Amino acid sequence: MDFNLYMNDIVDGARKEITDAGYDELKTPEEVEQALTREGTTLVMVNSTCGCAGGVARPAAAHSIHYDKRPEHLVTVFAGQDREATERARQFFEGYPPSSPSFALLKDGKIVTMVERHDIEGFSPVDVVSKLQKIFDDNCQEV
């Protein structure tokens, strides 16, 4: 089996899973700049191919947004795949080290808080949904 074809299948599936959940995929630094400087609240899901992304983070990303309060904008960058876009997004996460998978909540282009890999790995999707919804309660409007 060709390893690159295998990885493409994994990456394509991971991309589809998060975009099917309603997140806009940002693949270039320009797309990131435009999306993350918008007014309002924006949740950035930093996607990856690791097991905790597939088993915990992406399911949490999909389920957490079915809630009374949620961010106005949902976007995703893919660490290890869209490197320049991910690097540009991370420049907005001031005070936080690179972490994938992770979630960043921004308000009017400024970082509010993050759910980092150490808050995801070893936890269940339900645990991460709870963490995200607490952040939504504290920072987002009802939809």
Side-chain angles (χ1 to χ4, degrees):
M1 171 181 267
D2 183 350
F3 181 73
N4 288 331
L5 287 176
Y6 174 74
M7 282 306 296
N8 285 341
D9 286 347
I10 291 171
V11 169
D12 290 347
R15 288 185 192 277
K16 184 175 180 346
E17 186 176 352
I18 197 70
T19 57
D20 283 355
Y23 290 71
D24 294 326
E25 190 169 40
L26 308 175
K27 292 186 174 187
T28 68
E30 296 78 20
E31 290 173 346
V32 169
E33 182 72 26
Q34 183 178 7
L36 300 193
T37 56
R38 290 183 283 197
E39 287 187 15
T41 51
T42 302
L43 182 66
V44 183
M45 193 275 183
V46 180
N47 203 353
S48 74
T49 57
C50 71
C52 64
V56 180
R58 285 192 300 274
H63 294 288
S64 66
I65 59 175
H66 300 286
Y67 195 61
D68 292 341
K69 291 184 177 182
R70 68 174 225 179
E72 295 163 82
H73 312 287
L74 304 170
V75 299
T76 183
V77 294
F78 207 125
Q81 301 300 312
D82 302 319
R83 294 176 201 275
E84 292 176 357
T86 303
E87 180 56 37
R88 181 63 190 115
R90 286 179 171 154
Q91 291 172 2
F92 284 86
F93 310 157
E94 190 174 315
Y96 293 92
S99 178
S100 59
S102 62
F103 296 90
L105 183 73
L106 287 86
K107 185 168 186 172
D108 300 331
K110 303 287 184 204
I111 186 74
V112 174
T113 192
M114 286 194 72
V115 175
E116 300 174 84
R117 182 184 178 111
H118 65 81
D119 300 312
I120 297 168
E121 190 173 32
F123 291 91
S124 73
V126 172
D127 293 332
V128 177
V129 165
S130 294
K131 291 174 188 184
L132 290 169
Q133 289 178 343
K134 169 75 169 96
I135 291 168
F136 300 167
D137 277 336
D138 293 344
N139 299 283
C140 299
Q141 305 280 332
E142 284 194 35
V143 282

